[in-house]
Amino acid sequence: MLALATAKVTAVLLPTATLVLRLPNYAPGRAMVREGVRVAVASNVNPGSAPTENVALALSLACLQNGLTPEQALLGVTRWGRHARSGTRRWDGSG
């Protein structure tokens, strides 16, 4: 995970997909944040793996299953979600 933080990657957690697909393990969100990785949270709105637009569910699962705090989860769907979608912005907001 240190390599992700060093490369300034924004990891995107899709906890609703993990739930719908009945996968046994959720991504280690808390560990990612602890190591300095930016963590975005999304619902994935996909009929095959996550047929829901329910962002509240994604936020709840991010806290309960991925180990994020409510503040980290909210930043994940706002600030870091925007950052993940932009793809070209740098950590400091420039570029």
Side-chain angles (χ1 to χ4, degrees), residues 18-67:
T18 307
L19 176 71
V20 171
L21 293 173
R22 297 180 182 170
L23 298 176
N25 299 308
Y26 284 76
R30 178 177 299 194
M32 289 179 181
V33 170
R34 186 174 44 244
E35 293 295 325
V37 178
R38 297 170 295 194
V39 175
V41 177
S43 67
N44 194 24
V45 190
N46 181 318
S49 63
T52 181
E53 297 175 0
N54 192 336
V55 176
L57 176 61
L59 284 167
S60 296
L61 289 170
C63 294
L64 296 171
Q65 300 297 335
N66 295 111

Side-chain angles (χ1 to χ4, degrees), residues 3 5 7 10 16 18 39 43 58 69 71 75-76 80 87:
T10 301
T16 55
T18 307
V39 175
S43 67
T69 65
E71 180 182 13
L75 279 171
W80 301 133

